[in-house]
Amino acid sequence: MNTGDPPRNVVLVHGGFVDGSGWRAVYDLLRADGYHVSIVQNPTLSLDGDATVTRQVLGLQDGPTVLVGHSYGGAVISEAGTHDKVAALVYVAAFAPVKGESVGSLPADPPPGVPAPPILPSKDGYLFLDRADFSASFAGDLPAARRGGRWPSAPARPSSRCRAATPSTNRDPTPSPT
């Protein structure tokens, strides 16, 4: 992990059931502040494959990089975060599996008061979302006007082909001192 110059690069990693376009507002804000921003477009076929794609994007960066993951993207950055250009990992409402823990095991027992994600029973190891609960789960904190439209009721990626049982291999997340 790089700890030299302050990072001016940010790599954003999306979660399952969505694509990189969900980072658009964050991308725009970071670019306006002068950061070089890349958004990984993970195929979500496997945790290892998504970590490989993320490492490829990291390899294109010109210096220290902040690697950011949302939801399933947290598991991806846990795997890819050992890349030598990574200066920091940021988990945004993200899974942070410890070594040997799978993404599929994390939502099985949510903390008190936290609703379980609307993930339907696995089919051949692949995950699917309950469309009826998509909006409340993925956009419940947004004003109603922003939750409307096509995507909450008919997500472009209602399924994630990523196998839920793939265990994390690289790291045990440690809290930032800040």
Side-chain angles (χ1 to χ4, degrees), residues 115-128:
I119 299 173
L120 297 172
S122 173
K123 294 181 183 177
D124 297 326
Y126 298 106
L127 302 176
F128 295 86

Side-chain angles (χ1 to χ4, degrees), residues 15 19-20 26 28 37-38 43 48 53-54 78 80 89 93-95 115 117 131 137 173 177:
D19 65 19
V26 173
D28 290 343
V37 183
S38 299
D48 185 53
V53 170
T54 301
S78 291
L89 298 175
F95 293 113
R131 288 178 186 247
S137 178

Side-chain angles (χ1 to χ4, degrees), residues 90-158:
V90 177
Y91 294 83
V92 178
F95 293 113
V98 297
K99 190 173 184 175
E101 191 171 39
S102 73
V103 173
S105 68
L106 294 174
D109 188 22
V114 175
I119 299 173
L120 297 172
S122 173
K123 294 181 183 177
D124 297 326
Y126 298 106
L127 302 176
F128 295 86
L129 277 182
D130 183 342
R131 288 178 186 247
D133 293 331
F134 181 83
S135 181
S137 178
F138 275 72
D141 59 341
L142 293 177
R146 295 220 25 225
R147 281 185 275 159
R150 185 178 162 291
W151 70 268
S153 60
R157 298 179 70 177

Side-chain angles (χ1 to χ4, degrees), residues 44-64:
T44 65
L45 292 172
S46 71
L47 179 58
D48 185 53
D50 293 340
T52 296
V53 170
T54 301
R55 284 186 205 101
Q56 290 170 341
V57 173
L58 288 166
L60 298 173
Q61 306 308 303
D62 64 357

Side-chain angles (χ1 to χ4, degrees), residues 19-38:
D19 65 19
S21 67
W23 284 113
R24 179 60 192 258
V26 173
Y27 174 91
D28 290 343
L29 290 168
L30 290 169
R31 292 283 298 171
D33 284 345
Y35 290 93
H36 173 262
V37 183
S38 299

